[in-house]
mmCIF file of all heavy atoms in Angstrom:
data_model
loop_
_atom_site.group_PDB
_atom_site.id
_atom_site.type_symbol
_atom_site.label_atom_id
_atom_site.label_comp_id
_atom_site.label_asym_id
_atom_site.label_seq_id
_atom_site.Cartn_x
_atom_site.Cartn_y
_atom_site.Cartn_z
ATOM 1 N N TYR A 1 0.818 -1.210 0.002
ATOM 2 C CA TYR A 1 -0.009 0.005 -0.005
ATOM 3 C C TYR A 1 0.856 1.259 0.003
ATOM 4 O O TYR A 1 0.577 2.216 -0.727
ATOM 5 C CB TYR A 1 -0.960 0.031 1.210
ATOM 6 C CG TYR A 1 -1.698 1.328 1.265
ATOM 7 C CD1 TYR A 1 -2.670 1.649 0.330
ATOM 8 C CD2 TYR A 1 -1.352 2.325 2.190
ATOM 9 C CE1 TYR A 1 -3.333 2.838 0.334
ATOM 10 C CE2 TYR A 1 -2.007 3.541 2.204
ATOM 11 C CZ TYR A 1 -2.979 3.817 1.289
ATOM 12 O OH TYR A 1 -3.614 5.020 1.308
ATOM 13 N N LEU A 2 1.929 1.278 0.822
ATOM 14 C CA LEU A 2 2.803 2.448 0.859
ATOM 15 C C LEU A 2 3.462 2.675 -0.495
ATOM 16 O O LEU A 2 3.638 3.817 -0.937
ATOM 17 C CB LEU A 2 3.880 2.255 1.930
ATOM 18 C CG LEU A 2 3.410 2.411 3.392
ATOM 19 C CD1 LEU A 2 4.548 2.068 4.331
ATOM 20 C CD2 LEU A 2 2.870 3.797 3.664
ATOM 21 N N SER A 3 3.818 1.600 -1.210
ATOM 22 C CA SER A 3 4.376 1.723 -2.508
ATOM 23 C C SER A 3 3.387 2.345 -3.494
ATOM 24 O O SER A 3 3.754 3.238 -4.296
ATOM 25 C CB SER A 3 4.828 0.332 -3.022
ATOM 26 O OG SER A 3 5.328 0.415 -4.361
ATOM 27 N N THR A 4 2.134 1.928 -3.397
ATOM 28 C CA THR A 4 1.098 2.505 -4.243
ATOM 29 C C THR A 4 0.850 3.988 -3.930
ATOM 30 O O THR A 4 0.744 4.803 -4.850
ATOM 31 C CB THR A 4 -0.206 1.716 -4.069
ATOM 32 O OG1 THR A 4 -0.013 0.357 -4.393
ATOM 33 C CG2 THR A 4 -1.328 2.279 -4.970
ATOM 34 N N ALA A 5 0.785 4.292 -2.646
ATOM 35 C CA ALA A 5 0.575 5.671 -2.234
ATOM 36 C C ALA A 5 1.709 6.589 -2.645
ATOM 37 O O ALA A 5 1.512 7.685 -3.156
ATOM 38 C CB ALA A 5 0.371 5.737 -0.734
ATOM 39 N N ALA A 6 2.927 6.091 -2.442
ATOM 40 C CA ALA A 6 4.117 6.880 -2.844
ATOM 41 C C ALA A 6 4.147 7.071 -4.353
ATOM 42 O O ALA A 6 4.514 8.144 -4.828
ATOM 43 C CB ALA A 6 5.387 6.193 -2.344
ATOM 44 N N GLY A 7 3.742 6.040 -5.100
ATOM 45 C CA GLY A 7 3.762 6.138 -6.547
ATOM 46 C C GLY A 7 2.815 7.238 -7.068
ATOM 47 O O GLY A 7 3.132 7.990 -7.960
ATOM 48 N N ALA A 8 1.615 7.309 -6.449
ATOM 49 C CA ALA A 8 0.646 8.340 -6.856
ATOM 50 C C ALA A 8 1.159 9.727 -6.532
ATOM 51 O O ALA A 8 1.102 10.657 -7.354
ATOM 52 C CB ALA A 8 -0.691 8.082 -6.185
ATOM 53 N N ALA A 9 1.673 9.897 -5.299
ATOM 54 C CA ALA A 9 2.196 11.205 -4.901
ATOM 55 C C ALA A 9 3.372 11.625 -5.766
ATOM 56 O O ALA A 9 3.432 12.769 -6.255
ATOM 57 C CB ALA A 9 2.608 11.178 -3.434
ATOM 58 N N ALA A 10 4.289 10.670 -6.029
ATOM 59 C CA ALA A 10 5.475 11.017 -6.818
ATOM 60 C C ALA A 10 5.120 11.354 -8.252
ATOM 61 O O ALA A 10 5.703 12.265 -8.853
ATOM 62 C CB ALA A 10 6.477 9.855 -6.782
ATOM 63 N N PHE A 11 4.160 10.614 -8.801
ATOM 64 C CA PHE A 11 3.766 10.875 -10.194
ATOM 65 C C PHE A 11 3.242 12.331 -10.338
ATOM 66 O O PHE A 11 3.602 13.045 -11.297
ATOM 67 C CB PHE A 11 2.645 9.908 -10.626
ATOM 68 C CG PHE A 11 2.235 10.084 -12.080
ATOM 69 C CD1 PHE A 11 2.930 9.460 -13.081
ATOM 70 C CD2 PHE A 11 1.141 10.871 -12.416
ATOM 71 C CE1 PHE A 11 2.578 9.636 -14.389
ATOM 72 C CE2 PHE A 11 0.781 11.066 -13.722
ATOM 73 C CZ PHE A 11 1.496 10.403 -14.738
ATOM 74 N N VAL A 12 2.421 12.775 -9.393
ATOM 75 C CA VAL A 12 1.905 14.148 -9.470
ATOM 76 C C VAL A 12 3.036 15.171 -9.246
ATOM 77 O O VAL A 12 3.126 16.181 -9.946
ATOM 78 C CB VAL A 12 0.771 14.328 -8.433
ATOM 79 C CG1 VAL A 12 0.319 15.817 -8.397
ATOM 80 C CG2 VAL A 12 -0.424 13.448 -8.786
ATOM 81 N N MET A 13 3.884 14.880 -8.266
ATOM 82 C CA MET A 13 4.996 15.783 -7.974
ATOM 83 C C MET A 13 5.938 15.970 -9.209
ATOM 84 O O MET A 13 6.415 17.039 -9.458
ATOM 85 C CB MET A 13 5.822 15.246 -6.811
ATOM 86 C CG MET A 13 5.137 15.356 -5.468
ATOM 87 S SD MET A 13 6.069 14.410 -4.192
ATOM 88 C CE MET A 13 7.681 15.143 -4.345
ATOM 89 N N ASN A 14 6.149 14.842 -9.922
ATOM 90 C CA ASN A 14 7.095 14.867 -11.031
ATOM 91 C C ASN A 14 6.496 15.311 -12.357
ATOM 92 O O ASN A 14 7.203 15.425 -13.360
ATOM 93 C CB ASN A 14 7.724 13.481 -11.201
ATOM 94 C CG ASN A 14 8.570 13.056 -10.009
ATOM 95 O OD1 ASN A 14 9.065 13.908 -9.280
ATOM 96 N ND2 ASN A 14 8.719 11.769 -9.819
ATOM 97 N N SER A 15 5.187 15.515 -12.388
ATOM 98 C CA SER A 15 4.503 15.895 -13.630
ATOM 99 C C SER A 15 4.480 17.410 -13.778
ATOM 100 O O SER A 15 4.119 18.133 -12.847
ATOM 101 C CB SER A 15 3.074 15.370 -13.641
ATOM 102 O OG SER A 15 3.077 13.960 -13.605
ATOM 103 N N PRO A 16 4.859 17.951 -14.942
ATOM 104 C CA PRO A 16 4.841 19.382 -15.145
ATOM 105 C C PRO A 16 3.419 19.961 -15.204
ATOM 106 O O PRO A 16 3.226 21.170 -15.124
ATOM 107 C CB PRO A 16 5.526 19.580 -16.505
ATOM 108 C CG PRO A 16 6.146 18.283 -16.866
ATOM 109 C CD PRO A 16 5.392 17.208 -16.106
ATOM 110 N N GLY A 17 2.388 19.109 -15.408
ATOM 111 C CA GLY A 17 1.048 19.563 -15.653
ATOM 112 C C GLY A 17 0.479 20.510 -14.617
ATOM 113 O O GLY A 17 -0.300 21.411 -14.944
ATOM 114 N N SER A 18 0.912 20.331 -13.331
ATOM 115 C CA SER A 18 0.351 21.220 -12.285
ATOM 116 C C SER A 18 0.759 22.684 -12.476
ATOM 117 O O SER A 18 0.190 23.549 -11.837
ATOM 118 C CB SER A 18 0.786 20.733 -10.893
ATOM 119 O OG SER A 18 2.188 20.763 -10.773
ATOM 120 N N LYS A 19 1.773 22.931 -13.319
ATOM 121 C CA LYS A 19 2.175 24.323 -13.589
ATOM 122 C C LYS A 19 1.145 25.014 -14.475
ATOM 123 O O LYS A 19 1.152 26.249 -14.554
ATOM 124 C CB LYS A 19 3.531 24.350 -14.274
ATOM 125 C CG LYS A 19 4.688 23.784 -13.486
ATOM 126 C CD LYS A 19 5.964 23.806 -14.284
ATOM 127 C CE LYS A 19 7.134 23.245 -13.508
ATOM 128 N NZ LYS A 19 8.402 23.265 -14.295
ATOM 129 N N TYR A 20 0.312 24.252 -15.129
ATOM 130 C CA TYR A 20 -0.579 24.816 -16.126
ATOM 131 C C TYR A 20 -2.056 24.756 -15.759
ATOM 132 O O TYR A 20 -2.843 25.619 -16.142
ATOM 133 C CB TYR A 20 -0.369 24.117 -17.458
ATOM 134 C CG TYR A 20 1.079 24.116 -17.925
ATOM 135 C CD1 TYR A 20 1.870 22.972 -17.793
ATOM 136 C CD2 TYR A 20 1.669 25.252 -18.416
ATOM 137 C CE1 TYR A 20 3.192 22.959 -18.177
ATOM 138 C CE2 TYR A 20 3.016 25.261 -18.803
ATOM 139 C CZ TYR A 20 3.761 24.103 -18.662
ATOM 140 O OH TYR A 20 5.062 24.141 -19.051
ATOM 141 N N PHE A 21 -2.470 23.702 -15.009
ATOM 142 C CA PHE A 21 -3.875 23.536 -14.660
ATOM 143 C C PHE A 21 -4.027 23.004 -13.254
ATOM 144 O O PHE A 21 -3.221 22.174 -12.794
ATOM 145 C CB PHE A 21 -4.562 22.555 -15.626
ATOM 146 C CG PHE A 21 -4.500 22.947 -17.077
ATOM 147 C CD1 PHE A 21 -3.675 22.320 -17.962
ATOM 148 C CD2 PHE A 21 -5.324 23.994 -17.552
ATOM 149 C CE1 PHE A 21 -3.642 22.684 -19.300
ATOM 150 C CE2 PHE A 21 -5.261 24.367 -18.880
ATOM 151 C CZ PHE A 21 -4.424 23.721 -19.760
ATOM 152 N N ASP A 22 -5.075 23.450 -12.560
ATOM 153 C CA ASP A 22 -5.360 22.896 -11.229
ATOM 154 C C ASP A 22 -6.218 21.629 -11.427
ATOM 155 O O ASP A 22 -6.615 21.291 -12.552
ATOM 156 C CB ASP A 22 -6.057 23.954 -10.359
ATOM 157 C CG ASP A 22 -7.410 24.412 -10.892
ATOM 158 O OD1 ASP A 22 -8.175 23.561 -11.379
ATOM 159 O OD2 ASP A 22 -7.699 25.624 -10.844
ATOM 160 N N PRO A 23 -6.502 20.905 -10.339
ATOM 161 C CA PRO A 23 -7.239 19.628 -10.462
ATOM 162 C C PRO A 23 -8.604 19.765 -11.138
ATOM 163 O O PRO A 23 -9.014 18.872 -11.896
ATOM 164 C CB PRO A 23 -7.395 19.171 -9.008
ATOM 165 C CG PRO A 23 -6.277 19.844 -8.289
ATOM 166 C CD PRO A 23 -6.071 21.148 -8.946
ATOM 167 N N ILE A 24 -9.316 20.874 -10.873
ATOM 168 C CA ILE A 24 -10.618 21.064 -11.493
ATOM 169 C C ILE A 24 -10.469 21.233 -12.986
ATOM 170 O O ILE A 24 -11.236 20.657 -13.775
ATOM 171 C CB ILE A 24 -11.338 22.259 -10.851
ATOM 172 C CG1 ILE A 24 -11.607 22.020 -9.365
ATOM 173 C CG2 ILE A 24 -12.637 22.567 -11.588
ATOM 174 C CD1 ILE A 24 -12.173 23.197 -8.624
ATOM 175 N N GLU A 25 -9.480 22.048 -13.364
ATOM 176 C CA GLU A 25 -9.258 22.267 -14.802
ATOM 177 C C GLU A 25 -8.816 20.965 -15.506
ATOM 178 O O GLU A 25 -9.098 20.775 -16.683
ATOM 179 C CB GLU A 25 -8.211 23.346 -14.994
ATOM 180 C CG GLU A 25 -8.746 24.720 -14.565
ATOM 181 C CD GLU A 25 -7.658 25.784 -14.493
ATOM 182 O OE1 GLU A 25 -6.505 25.428 -14.169
ATOM 183 O OE2 GLU A 25 -7.952 26.946 -14.700
ATOM 184 N N MET A 26 -8.104 20.103 -14.785
ATOM 185 C CA MET A 26 -7.742 18.805 -15.352
ATOM 186 C C MET A 26 -9.001 18.008 -15.677
ATOM 187 O O MET A 26 -9.092 17.384 -16.756
ATOM 188 C CB MET A 26 -6.870 17.985 -14.382
ATOM 189 C CG MET A 26 -5.473 18.557 -14.139
ATOM 190 S SD MET A 26 -4.442 18.660 -15.611
ATOM 191 C CE MET A 26 -2.950 19.312 -14.865
ATOM 192 N N SER A 27 -9.966 18.044 -14.808
ATOM 193 C CA SER A 27 -11.187 17.246 -15.019
ATOM 194 C C SER A 27 -12.019 17.813 -16.182
ATOM 195 O O SER A 27 -12.763 17.090 -16.828
ATOM 196 C CB SER A 27 -12.033 17.211 -13.755
ATOM 197 O OG SER A 27 -12.638 18.477 -13.477
ATOM 198 N N TYR A 28 -11.887 19.112 -16.453
ATOM 199 C CA TYR A 28 -12.562 19.707 -17.595
ATOM 200 C C TYR A 28 -12.149 19.095 -18.921
ATOM 201 O O TYR A 28 -12.863 19.168 -19.923
ATOM 202 C CB TYR A 28 -12.334 21.219 -17.661
ATOM 203 C CG TYR A 28 -12.981 22.039 -16.566
ATOM 204 C CD1 TYR A 28 -12.553 23.349 -16.329
ATOM 205 C CD2 TYR A 28 -14.046 21.519 -15.804
ATOM 206 C CE1 TYR A 28 -13.129 24.118 -15.349
ATOM 207 C CE2 TYR A 28 -14.613 22.304 -14.832
ATOM 208 C CZ TYR A 28 -14.168 23.591 -14.594
ATOM 209 O OH TYR A 28 -14.754 24.377 -13.602
ATOM 210 N N GLN A 29 -10.975 18.485 -18.891
ATOM 211 C CA GLN A 29 -10.399 17.931 -20.137
ATOM 212 C C GLN A 29 -10.879 16.492 -20.404
ATOM 213 O O GLN A 29 -10.418 15.871 -21.379
ATOM 214 C CB GLN A 29 -8.874 17.972 -20.085
ATOM 215 C CG GLN A 29 -8.338 19.412 -19.940
ATOM 216 C CD GLN A 29 -6.816 19.441 -19.863
ATOM 217 O OE1 GLN A 29 -6.150 18.972 -20.740
ATOM 218 N NE2 GLN A 29 -6.295 20.021 -18.771
ATOM 219 N N ALA A 30 -11.747 15.981 -19.573
ATOM 220 C CA ALA A 30 -12.215 14.612 -19.691
ATOM 221 C C ALA A 30 -12.657 14.223 -21.107
ATOM 222 O O ALA A 30 -12.279 13.168 -21.617
ATOM 223 C CB ALA A 30 -13.329 14.320 -18.699
ATOM 224 N N PRO A 31 -13.472 15.079 -21.784
ATOM 225 C CA PRO A 31 -13.908 14.699 -23.128
ATOM 226 C C PRO A 31 -12.773 14.544 -24.165
ATOM 227 O O PRO A 31 -12.947 13.910 -25.177
ATOM 228 C CB PRO A 31 -14.838 15.881 -23.543
ATOM 229 C CG PRO A 31 -15.234 16.528 -22.289
ATOM 230 C CD PRO A 31 -14.046 16.383 -21.386
ATOM 231 N N PHE A 32 -11.607 15.091 -23.825
ATOM 232 C CA PHE A 32 -10.508 15.071 -24.780
ATOM 233 C C PHE A 32 -9.467 14.020 -24.462
ATOM 234 O O PHE A 32 -8.553 13.785 -25.252
ATOM 235 C CB PHE A 32 -9.821 16.460 -24.821
ATOM 236 C CG PHE A 32 -10.797 17.584 -25.040
ATOM 237 C CD1 PHE A 32 -11.201 18.394 -24.018
ATOM 238 C CD2 PHE A 32 -11.324 17.801 -26.321
ATOM 239 C CE1 PHE A 32 -12.112 19.432 -24.223
ATOM 240 C CE2 PHE A 32 -12.213 18.825 -26.544
ATOM 241 C CZ PHE A 32 -12.620 19.637 -25.495
#
């Protein structure tokens, strides 16, 4: 479980996407 939790946190931390959109704006992109 700790490995899974760390993986999710690290993926978000290491992704540049948070520089451009917040979580709500990410969900707006669902149709695309």
Side-chain angles (χ1 to χ4, degrees):
Y1 174 71
L2 286 176
S3 176
T4 301
F11 183 84
V12 173
M13 289 170 55
N14 295 335
S15 298
S18 62
K19 298 178 181 179
Y20 306 103
F21 301 106
D22 62 42
I24 296 174
E25 291 168 329
M26 292 298 181
S27 71
Y28 289 162
Q29 300 180 57
F32 307 103

